[in-house]
Amino acid sequence: MKVTRYPQSCLLIEKDGFSIAIDPGDPFVASHKADELRHVGAVFYTHDHFDHCNRALAAQLHEWNIPLFGNASVGALLQDTPCIVVTPGELVKVGPFSVNPALMAHSDMVDGQPGPENTGYIIDNHLLHPGDSPHVEGVNVPVIALPLVGPDISPRRACDMAKLVGAKTAIAMHYDLWGAQAEFYKLIFERFTIPFDLKVLADGESVEV
């Protein structure tokens, strides 16, 4: 499959001429046009934070008859825009993809309060997009979309996440709005013995995984 990274935590995943997008939020809208997602077969949202879900974009995608998937909190945020509410453990079949929603608690917020409802997505038992959750126990995949920075996510915790799922490849995400330099993280990781390769993709850059 081919993975293209967009700002913050937005990924476009393609296989056999079909594509799905995960978490096109405000950062995507700020630098890209909605038309760039007009061809996707489905859109998945991990949670209702603005950097992961943009209501106006979701409404436009719905007008183009693109199915939207998310948890109950996402459905409430989207209001009149229909959203198919996913159930953890119940596979969603879209095109050639099998998407397994997994309940994964959002990282605690900076004040120690719990975050919103967060759903991770396991694509074809091959790639995990955990949203903003560091709680990836019980998942084993060769590829993880890895949040590098967050309210309760540090370089050490990100590294532990990739190792916990047994990933050989980690695609850096969730660092744009925090002002972090992912290339610096890659440099630091490579100075230590880690069992995975951290891919740092520019906005719109793709990689085969």
Side-chain angles (χ1 to χ4, degrees):
M1 65 178 64
K2 182 170 80 169
V3 178
T4 304
R5 191 195 80 87
Y6 293 106
Q8 195 65 344
S9 298
C10 181
L11 297 184
L12 181 70
I13 304 171
E14 302 173 76
K15 185 176 77 169
D16 298 339
F18 190 92
S19 62
I20 60 175
I22 303 178
D23 282 359
D26 286 12
F28 177 89
V29 172
S31 56
H32 292 270
K33 295 182 179 179
D35 276 346
E36 295 179 51
L37 296 181
R38 190 165 190 160
H39 67 287
V40 302
V43 174
F44 292 81
Y45 297 101
T46 62
H47 62 289
D48 61 11
H49 279 164
F50 72 93
D51 54 332
H52 296 258
C53 183
N54 178 277
R55 287 175 56 190
L57 176 59
Q60 179 62 75
L61 296 171
H62 171 67
E63 287 186 14
W64 292 333
N65 296 313
I66 298 171
L68 310 176
F69 296 87
N71 55 40
S73 294
V74 171
L77 173 71
L78 296 183
Q79 297 180 349
D80 295 332
T81 299
C83 175
I84 301 167
V85 177
V86 297
T87 300
E90 290 190 6
L91 282 179
V92 177
K93 294 280 193 176
V94 285
F97 290 104
S98 293
V99 181
N100 186 8
L103 184 62
M104 294 181 170
H106 192 286
S107 64
D108 288 344
M109 305 309 292
V110 294
D111 61 356
Q113 294 298 308
E117 179 183 13
N118 184 89
T119 301
Y121 295 104
I122 304 165
I123 315 297
D124 289 348
N125 288 319
H126 185 75
L127 181 150
L128 168 65
H129 189 307
D132 282 358
S133 177
H135 304 288
V136 296
E137 297 82 1
V139 178
N140 188 270
V141 288
V143 183
I144 184 173
L146 190 62
L148 293 184
V149 190
D152 193 30
I153 297 176
S154 64
R156 166 68 185 276
R157 199 165 194 185
C159 189
D160 285 346
M161 288 173 61
K163 291 192 290 186
L164 189 60
V165 301
K168 298 303 180 185
T169 301
I171 299 172
M173 68 169 190
H174 204 269
Y175 56 86
D176 305 77
L177 296 187
W178 292 83
Q181 297 183 13
E183 287 287 359
F184 177 74
Y185 281 69
K186 181 176 178 65
L187 178 64
I188 294 299
F189 282 5
E190 289 175 348
R191 290 188 177 184
F192 298 90
T193 302
I194 57 171
F196 62 90
D197 178 26
L198 181 66
K199 299 289 188 184
V200 176
L201 304 178
D203 183 3
E205 186 179 359
S206 303
V207 65
E208 293 282 347
V209 296

